[in-house]
Amino acid sequence: MNARTEPAEAETEPDAPARPPLVRELLLVAGLFLVYKFGRQLATGHTAEAFGNARHVWHLERWLHLPGEGAVQSLLLHGDALVHVANTYYATVHFPATAGFLVWLYLRRPAQYVWSRRVLAAVTGAALVLHLTFPLAPPRMLGATGLVDTARVYGPSVYGPPRADTLSNQFAAMPSLHFGWALMVAVGLIAATRSRWRWLWLLHPLLTLLVIVGTANHYWLDVLVASALLGLALALIRMPRRARTTAAPPGPPRWAREPRPAERRGLVGAGR
């Protein structure tokens, strides 16, 4: 009988994480959005409290020797084009960037998608509680800051007059979900990819930080509180392990597997 060498069988790759049902995810995201809008409506009618809290936050920042928001705004006010770009970034990037992030994860990284969605929901829920319990007027509304409402002066603006704007709660400055969501987008993409360029995603929260402060929509403390909430959510909601491909164990080198010429002659005549 002839001797034969059998190739080693490769181990099967583990199954990829199951993608959550699309309809269920759409309902969850829509429900979160409705809760967000409902929470904004509940926060209306607290104008005096919101301005009082704004004065306290402003004085607390000065007591903590935080840099003035005006230093960032002065950089934007060097040219109309620059401040217009900043206002456009504030108005148009926030929701599309977060939605695109979730869609990409849903299609390409299902396990990371579930984790990121849970973190974003936790941060948003905690932010709504703070918006209701601590209404805060943004610095653009507080005359003591000396800051310019860049969206109203240079455009474009996503807000109307506070009394007539029924679609948004303009007294929900703390924490800044603009920054919290942008930071989570960067964290999620860095965790879900392995490209050496993935750290460039940190430019998104950095630009968002400069925009929300420079346009006088948020205080520095709004950013710090949003970062703290995100850090707490990341600590409590465990990140899934990256799915790894199980490769077949390395065998001996080819020269060690194949019989030598003398051995081949012996094997050929072994059955005679």
Side-chain angles (χ1 to χ4, degrees):
M1 49 187 305
N2 295 332
R4 297 178 181 177
T5 56
E6 299 292 339
E9 294 183 359
E11 297 182 12
T12 57
E13 296 183 359
D15 294 335
R19 185 176 291 111
L22 179 59
V23 175
R24 188 191 72 179
E25 293 305 309
L26 290 176
L27 291 176
L28 285 174
V29 174
L32 181 63
F33 178 76
L34 291 176
V35 170
Y36 180 66
K37 300 301 289 186
F38 181 66
R40 284 176 170 248
Q41 296 302 316
L42 291 178
T44 58
H46 298 278
T47 303
E49 185 180 359
F51 277 97
N53 290 335
R55 287 187 288 271
H56 293 322
V57 167
W58 180 256
H59 292 309
L60 178 60
E61 286 190 344
R62 307 290 75 78
W63 182 77
L64 293 173
H65 299 287
L66 293 178
E69 287 82 355
V72 180
Q73 186 174 86
S74 63
L75 297 176
L76 298 182
L77 296 179
H78 279 301
D80 293 356
L82 185 59
V83 69
H84 184 80
V85 169
N87 291 333
T88 303
Y89 190 96
Y90 180 86
T92 61
V93 174
H94 177 50
F95 280 105
T98 308
F101 162 70
L102 290 175
V103 169
W104 185 85
L105 286 182
Y106 180 84
L107 296 175
R108 302 294 298 273
R109 304 286 190 274
Q112 297 282 350
Y113 163 78
V114 174
W115 169 69
S116 299
R117 188 248 293 152
R118 289 173 179 171
V119 172
L120 284 172
V123 171
T124 303
L128 289 178
V129 173
L130 278 175
H131 292 167
L132 293 175
T133 58
F134 190 77
L136 180 65
R140 59 185 170 82
M141 292 184 180
L142 192 63
T145 65
L147 298 173
V148 178
D149 186 346
T150 60
R152 182 179 60 83
V153 176
Y154 298 94
S157 176
V158 294
Y159 302 121
R163 294 183 179 181
D165 189 356
T166 59
L167 297 178
S168 59
N169 174 22
Q170 298 189 47
F171 300 135
M174 181 181 290
S176 169
L177 284 179
H178 264 76
F179 182 78
W181 286 11
L183 186 57
M184 182 55 205
V185 168
V187 170
L189 289 173
I190 290 172
T193 58
R194 284 296 178 267
S195 169
R196 63 178 179 177
W197 302 104
R198 67 188 186 278
W199 297 101
L200 291 177
W201 286 111
L202 291 173
L203 291 175
H204 176 45
L206 177 60
L207 288 175
T208 301
L209 170 63
L210 296 177
V211 164
I212 63 177
V213 173
T215 58
N217 280 290
H218 287 284
Y219 305 89
W220 293 115
L221 285 178
D222 300 339
V223 174
L224 296 178
V225 173
S227 302
L229 289 179
L230 178 59
L232 181 61
L234 291 174
L236 295 177
I237 302 174
R238 189 171 61 177
M239 183 191 309
R241 293 182 179 180
R242 168 175 283 273
R244 296 179 180 177
T245 302
T246 303
R254 184 175 180 181
W255 62 266
R257 294 197 304 266
E258 295 182 355
R260 296 179 181 178
E263 295 174 346
R264 288 176 182 172
R265 290 194 297 269
L267 291 173
V268 170
R272 297 179 181 175

